[in-house]
Amino acid sequence: MSLTIPLYVLRHGETAWNTERRMQGLRDSKLTERGRLQAEAMGRSLGRELEGATGPTVFLRSPLGRACETAEIIGREIGLDAGQWRDDPRLVELGYGDWEGLSWKDIEISHPTALADWRADPHGYCPPGGETHAELRARSAAVLAEIAASGVRTVIVGHGVSGAVLRGLNLGLDARAMFVLEKPQDAFFRLLAGREDRIVCG
């Protein structure tokens, strides 16, 4: 089912583990000062997008801490009551299992072919104790289908990979193409009817 009204997909601001290039997945680290400034910029840009919009807007977020903190900052920028955010566990990041908290350098010591193996099979590859792209795709597709069926403008604050999968589903991409989509923290995306527009924050 195609989106007939915009869906905005935003990634959380920069975190301490982002700066250290550590895998976060279902674990968490706090926003950096830069990450909080990114969230404020997202809020200003989202506010301009929503200014003058008619009809309701639904605000969804991943329940992980970095997404919640980003959403709260965005909400303050647009004058949104904190209680209007709805947590949806299907929006959490891809689970990296035993790799969470590790850098790629750490991972390559114990799994030297990990990145090559993942790129070779992005749909089915599973980090030890983690989640496959196929599993993430299934939960993301369910969210997207519900939003499309509702016909209600929606804002999502989530994560890099899970957000890319939502975008890829809207664009009709396969797992390999989704794997390489950019995952910015200084821009977000407006999804509508099988296309997307990149909105730079400022």
Side-chain angles (χ1 to χ4, degrees):
M1 184 179 293
S2 180
L3 292 165
T4 58
I5 196 164
L7 165 62
Y8 296 92
V9 177
L10 296 77
R11 183 185 179 192
H12 62 78
E14 179 189 79
T15 69
W17 279 10
N18 287 154
T19 67
E20 298 167 8
R21 302 185 65 81
R22 295 184 181 276
M23 307 290 274
Q24 294 186 116
L26 305 183
R27 293 180 65 184
D28 225 354
S29 67
K30 296 287 188 183
L31 296 188
T32 62
E33 179 59 28
R34 182 184 183 201
R36 288 187 285 273
L37 291 173
Q38 288 170 337
E40 290 175 0
M42 282 187 249
R44 290 191 296 272
S45 296
L46 181 63
R48 290 192 291 271
E49 278 287 312
L50 299 179
E51 190 175 5
T54 58
T57 302
V58 171
F59 294 88
L60 302 178
R61 66 185 182 186
S62 158
L64 295 177
R66 57 193 184 273
C68 289
E69 185 178 0
T70 301
E72 287 165 6
I73 294 170
I74 290 169
R76 287 198 294 271
E77 288 292 324
I78 63 175
L80 185 71
D81 185 276
Q84 289 182 257
W85 287 105
R86 288 171 22 199
D87 290 346
D88 190 327
R90 296 172 298 178
L91 298 174
V92 299
E93 183 59 298
L94 179 73
Y96 294 108
D98 297 345
W99 291 355
E100 292 179 3
L102 302 180
S103 68
W104 268 114
K105 187 178 291 186
D106 296 329
I107 293 164
E108 287 170 349
I109 292 171
S110 56
H111 297 80
T113 65
L115 188 55
D117 293 344
W118 204 342
R119 283 179 173 156
D121 182 18
H123 191 64
Y125 186 81
C126 188
E131 179 182 29
T132 66
H133 187 281
E135 291 169 317
L136 171 58
R137 184 183 179 116
R139 57 180 165 90
S140 300
V143 173
L144 190 62
E146 288 177 14
I147 292 170
S150 75
V152 177
R153 182 186 310 103
T154 302
V155 173
I156 286 177
V157 176
H159 304 274
V161 176
S162 59
V165 169
L166 278 169
R167 291 164 48 213
L169 288 167
N170 171 66
L171 294 169
L173 303 180
D174 63 15
R176 197 175 303 278
M178 292 182 196
F179 193 85
V180 297
L181 285 175
E182 68 164 331
K183 304 164 185 68
Q185 291 168 307
D186 59 356
F188 59 89
F189 298 88
R190 183 199 307 115
L191 280 53
L192 181 64
R195 63 182 189 275
E196 71 174 22
D197 295 302
R198 187 182 195 272
I199 299 166
V200 177
C201 299

